[in-house]
Amino acid sequence: MSEDQQLRVSKITEGTVIDHVTGGQALNVLAILGIDGSGGEEVSIGMNVPSERLGRKDVVKVEGRELSQDEVDVLSLIAPAATINIVRDYDVVEKHRVERPSEVVGVLQCPNRNCITTKDEPVDSRFAVLEEGVRCAYCDTIIRESIADHIHVD
Amino acid sequence: MPQDHIISAKHLSRADIESVLDRAAEIAADPEAVADRHAGQLLGMLFFEPSTRTKMSFSAAMKRLGGDIVDMGPVDQSSVKKGESLADTVRVVEGYADALVMRHPLEGSAKMASEFVDVPLINAGDGAGQHPTQTLLDLYTIRESAGFSDLTVGIMGDLKYGRTVHSLAHALTTFDAQQHFVSPESLKLPRGVRYDLHEAGASMREHTELEEVLDSLDVLYVTRIQAERFPDEDEYRKVAGEYQIDAETLAAAKDDLVVMHPLPRVDEIAPDVDETDHARYFEQAHNGVPVRMALLDLILEGNL
Ligand SMILES: [Zn+2]
């Protein structure tokens, strides 16, 4: 990221910068991470920022919160090129890529209305991650396109 | 014990299936030998939707093993009616029985329920999902009548919604059967099922006409095409009519073709087939008892 682009979104002192998010997916990234502002986190996002690698990309910065690998790997479903930068005292102390998890729990809502996970039961949705798409561990429904449309929102 | 719940035929290995079928054959040959084997044990019956036949078959199986059943009764007279969650219901009921049998209208319900109980739970059908004991009795019938070696099976009818079909197709894949799926275009196998079969290395083809494959089949498994799958009555009659068989249709088949059907049938198999040597569907239904006895026996003994 050039200095110029860096300035489009304010620098953070401590926290996580999620860079190289597929253009237009920033709000879905926040939805998946369960960040809606109600927790008081300082969040800034840049959308459709010019990027050499992606053409256009989104950037999400979360102040005061270091996201774990497990938390961010689920982002690979909607932003496979995302990079994660952990910032402490203005410095990037860790930088890594998202990796496809073998399953995602509690993140997506099964589109099958006859699936037990869509009812009032004490069970989290659970999807196995396939080469292409994801499959409900309970009813076997496969989601292949527009996975972001199935993000679980309370 | 590698698994104590029976949720999906997909999770049964070939060895698991063979141990159930072997045990069923032993029991069928000498039912007296197991008449008191599970005396004092109770099977909990949780039927959240009516299925008289499956329920009778499980009851008969448990009683012929010397055990007994405790029945939740119809849903409209139970706590479920008052809005109790399935997770709570099964956690209460597991205390009453040594094993549970559950039928429920929602897909994935058996898997979820099994995560909340310590006694073995058998899925007797979850919505359009899995019905593994039907699959086991189908496989038993196939093994007894045609055998598994060099087997070619045709599965015809509603392949989209028919849970028995999906379950059977998975299992036949583990026995290396050649499978031909015959259905109208609108009722082909769902994508998820086809994906899994390919992943499992199934040798399979899809057809819209039975004539294309009839003479190569050892087994023809017929399922019902339901009127509600079609926009109107005319369309239904036109399409469903092409997937009905009678004695004349079967003239083109091998002499030892075995015709199966999960029953109840309506008009997809004409009554004149009943008189032929091909008909095996009543025997298939009767096989439900020894097969469920075998499964209950293995599960209650912790041998599966
Ligand atoms: Zn589902």
Side-chain angles (χ1 to χ4, degrees), chain A residues 112-124 126 130-132 135-145, chain B residues 8 10 84-88 91 104-109 111-112 115-116 126 129-130 170 191-193 195-196 199:
Chain A
N112 173 8
R113 292 201 323 225
N114 280 324
C115 176
I116 191 75
T117 63
T118 66
K119 308 298 172 187
D120 198 9
E121 296 286 345
V123 63
D124 283 326
R126 183 179 291 271
L130 311 174
E131 237 164 83
E132 275 179 86
R135 177 174 51 214
C136 176
Y138 289 87
C139 75
D140 287 344
T141 296
I142 291 183
I143 310 175
R144 204 155 289 175
E145 290 101 26
Chain B
S8 158
K10 232 195 299 185
E84 185 175 63
S85 70
L86 175 60
D88 278 5
R91 277 181 287 187
H104 195 281
L106 295 175
E107 286 133 53
S109 53
K111 177 177 163 64
M112 189 206 76
E115 291 168 357
F116 287 91
D126 56 344
Q130 301 292 328
H170 283 298
R191 184 161 74 172
V193 175
Y195 177 91
D196 278 349
E199 287 284 286

Side-chain angles (χ1 to χ4, degrees), chain B residues 176-198:
Chain B
D176 306 318
Q178 282 265 6
Q179 301 185 70
H180 294 280
F181 297 97
V182 184
S183 72
E185 197 63 37
S186 61
L187 294 175
K188 283 170 66 172
L189 286 176
R191 184 161 74 172
V193 175
R194 217 177 316 137
Y195 177 91
D196 278 349
L197 292 175
H198 278 300

